[in-house]
Amino acid sequence: MITLIQQLLMIEKQVNVAVVQGVMISPCYRTLIQQLFVTERFGSSQIDDELLARFEKVTGKPVHHWLRRGIFFSHRDLHQILTHYEQGKPFFLYTGRGPSSDAMHVGHLIPFVITKWLQDVFDVPLVIQLTDDEKYLWRDVKLEDITRLARENAKDIIACGFDMEKTFIFSDFDFIGQCPEFYRNMVRVAKCVTFNQVKGIFGFGDSDPIGKISFPAIQATPSFSSSFPFIFGKANIPCLIPCAIDQDPYFRMTRDVAPKLGYHKPALLHSVFFPALQGARTKMSGSDPNSSISLRDTPKQIKNKVNKHAFSGGQATVEEHREKGGNCDVDISYQYLRFFLEDDAKLEQVHKDYSSGALLTGELKKMLIEVLQPIVTTHQQNRLQVTDEIVQQFMTPRKLKFSYGS
Ligand code: TRP
């Protein structure tokens, strides 16, 4: 008999190996993985009502619906960030993206949308790392192509509405060579982590390129304010990292190292994975355009994709559906509405009506289509406004609108 904890440990290993290989983790493990990460073993904490209430009290603003709905479900040291903010002390935000494909999909925007919201709520600086080097090391791609993708992805990120005066976006290939302080921190981190440790965390083996083995130091380094002297001077300021839960291994490592270097441990806000259209038992694949809603899709493509591919939790016939009702837990249209339909009362009504059978699958899909179409169209319009010059400005190392005594 394998114990539950043994099973969880096996999943942990698979998750870490999968993260390193850039593979999406099979969503049927999703619930288990979520529970796993909030257990004591990983030391992260569930985002509970008490934390949300405190968040609203400290900021004086209602929390984002993704926090209320458990889409961002776990955290590390968020209480500490709130205390910091309450005391009028500065912190900053850090997030990132591995620019693996030009066609980003709606799920890729999740960390950026929440980050933009946090930036508005707290009025703090933000650094965004584009790990073109990571994708070069992990994928079969040409270095030149990846550099172009980083800029294309930057446009989609900027289209989320980030304030140029508060935001620095950088590509590892372009930036790190220009910034000795960043490189020094990278090597400081690299000195503190042994091969044995990264093997344990990420599952690296003897035949992995040595670039992969040292990459975690590159993703760790933006967590430290001294890596960006043009923004923070010499100030030592804590950071908060919104990310999907699969990035946690990198930051567990970072949090181990930080005190040894005299830096703050980064705080974290973890989201669940975004499900594929085909449902919770399939993998979201970058090469299958039907597995997700692309930010390049036309309204018609969105309609067709949802109608044809969104996994349904409804019954086989209308009669049966009216009698037994649909299953919201597995129904992708409902699951997507949890992400994209902001109105709590409406969402609750949909849940009630679909579960009772009053709402049919076709009607539910129509609702989702009508929610997604304007989101994607608006994104496309915003992206059109983002010129190469604007990208260049965001990606130029410079002082932001904040000042820090050293
Ligand atoms: N490794 C991430 C990816 O593959 C990119 C990344 C770099 C990141 N730094 C980050 C993601 C910080 C979240 C937070 O997409």
Side-chain angles (χ1 to χ4, degrees):
M1 252 297 271
I2 318 177
T3 63
L4 179 63
I5 195 70
Q6 281 170 324
Q7 286 180 36
L8 291 176
L9 289 174
M10 277 157 57
I11 294 170
E12 173 205 351
K13 204 157 190 185
Q14 283 176 21
V15 170
N16 289 335
V17 170
V19 169
V20 165
Q21 291 170 344
V23 174
M24 273 301 294
I25 291 107
S26 174
C28 58
Y29 288 134
R30 209 169 276 148
T31 319
L32 262 178
I33 291 168
Q34 284 176 17
Q35 290 163 358
L36 173 71
F37 276 98
V38 297
T39 56
E40 278 161 39
R41 182 175 159 70
F42 290 95
S44 93
S45 320
Q46 198 121 30
I47 294 180
D48 54 18
D49 291 345
E50 186 215 326
L51 177 59
L52 294 181
R54 178 159 185 237
F55 199 106
E56 295 196 334
K57 189 167 155 255
V58 170
T59 63
K61 305 213 169 78
V63 290
H64 195 277
H65 61 284
W66 291 347
L67 285 162
R68 277 200 315 271
R69 292 181 192 167
I71 285 168
F72 281 82
F73 70 100
S74 144
H75 76 97
R76 295 179 190 275
D77 288 347
L78 195 55
H79 273 295
Q80 243 161 283
I81 291 287
L82 290 175
T83 303
H84 222 73
Y85 180 74
E86 247 174 348
Q87 296 170 345
K89 293 186 196 153
F91 75 96
F92 71 103
L93 291 162
Y94 158 40
T95 192
R97 165 165 172 83
S100 54
S101 83
D102 183 20
M104 284 171 69
H105 60 70
V106 286
H108 290 140
L109 288 188
I110 287 161
F112 297 106
V113 170
I114 202 87
T115 302
K116 147 85 177 138
W117 178 80
L118 290 163
Q119 184 182 54
D120 288 347
V121 167
F122 291 108
D123 188 30
V124 287
L126 160 66
V127 296
I128 299 177
Q129 178 179 44
L130 299 174
T131 50
D132 38 14
D133 49 355
E134 175 188 15
K135 294 301 145 178
Y136 175 66
L137 285 164
W138 263 266
R139 302 269 169 113
D140 183 19
V141 282
K142 286 211 195 81
L143 213 147
E144 300 71 34
D145 294 344
I146 282 285
T147 303
R148 186 186 57 79
L149 284 185
R151 301 229 152 208
E152 289 304 314
N153 283 190
K155 284 191 183 171
D156 283 293
I157 293 168
I158 292 166
C160 293
F162 291 107
D163 183 338
M164 194 189 292
E165 298 198 313
K166 303 182 201 168
T167 308
F168 173 52
I169 305 178
F170 63 99
S171 120
D172 285 344
F173 279 136
D174 290 349
F175 168 65
I176 295 176
Q178 300 175 43
C179 187
E181 291 83 356
F182 192 102
Y183 185 62
R184 284 190 190 115
N185 275 342
M186 257 172 64
V187 177
R188 284 186 178 113
V189 173
K191 187 173 176 175
C192 289
V193 186
T194 65
F195 180 42
N196 204 37
Q197 283 167 326
V198 285
K199 251 198 315 206
I201 302 173
F202 300 98
F204 295 130
D206 282 350
S207 53
D208 274 310
I210 59 173
K212 286 191 183 179
I213 293 151
S214 59
F215 174 77
I218 304 179
Q219 182 156 332
T221 298
S223 314
F224 308 132
S225 56
S226 64
S227 304
F228 306 98
F230 44 92
I231 303 175
F232 301 105
K234 288 193 165 48
N236 185 7
I237 292 167
C239 91
L240 170 63
I241 308 173
C243 61
I245 189 69
D246 62 344
Q247 299 300 306
D248 191 64
Y250 287 107
F251 300 118
R252 284 206 302 277
M253 185 199 89
T254 310
R255 287 168 56 87
D256 269 356
V257 169
K260 297 179 191 153
L261 303 181
Y263 297 145
H264 298 272
K265 289 183 179 191
L268 287 145
L269 196 51
H270 300 124
S271 75
V272 297
F273 299 119
F274 187 73
L277 270 179
Q278 281 76 3
R281 268 171 215 87
T282 56
K283 266 202 279 193
M284 191 148 52
S285 142
S287 55
D288 176 5
N290 289 326
S291 72
S292 59
I293 304 294
S294 162
L295 293 172
R296 308 285 175 270
D297 281 348
T298 62
K300 205 169 154 201
Q301 284 171 316
I302 293 175
K303 185 174 166 203
N304 288 340
K305 275 190 191 178
V306 171
N307 280 334
K308 269 198 207 140
H309 301 290
F311 184 81
S312 167
Q315 305 297 340
T317 65
V318 173
E319 292 72 37
E320 208 185 327
H321 188 86
R322 293 275 187 232
E323 189 192 320
K324 295 185 185 155
N327 180 354
C328 286
D329 290 344
V330 299
D331 192 287
I332 285 298
S333 301
Y334 177 77
Q335 291 300 321
Y336 276 29
L337 284 174
R338 282 188 72 232
F339 283 84
F340 298 112
L341 179 64
E342 274 185 47
D343 188 326
D344 284 341
K346 259 196 199 161
L347 187 73
E348 213 185 304
Q349 192 63 41
V350 171
H351 191 279
K352 224 172 114 206
D353 292 346
Y354 197 62
S355 305
S356 76
L359 191 70
L360 298 175
T361 298
E363 294 164 336
L364 179 65
K365 287 192 170 188
K366 185 157 175 281
M367 287 187 70
L368 175 65
I369 291 162
E370 283 167 5
V371 167
L372 282 176
Q373 282 172 335
I375 291 177
V376 173
T377 308
T378 306
H379 178 84
Q380 289 167 356
Q381 284 163 355
N382 292 341
R383 191 181 192 275
L384 275 179
Q385 309 296 314
V386 184
T387 60
D388 291 340
E389 290 71 47
I390 292 179
V391 174
Q392 190 52 43
Q393 281 172 300
F394 269 97
M395 297 185 73
T396 303
R398 67 209 187 279
K399 187 174 164 1
L400 302 178
K401 70 162 226 190
F402 305 90
S403 292
Y404 303 92
S406 51

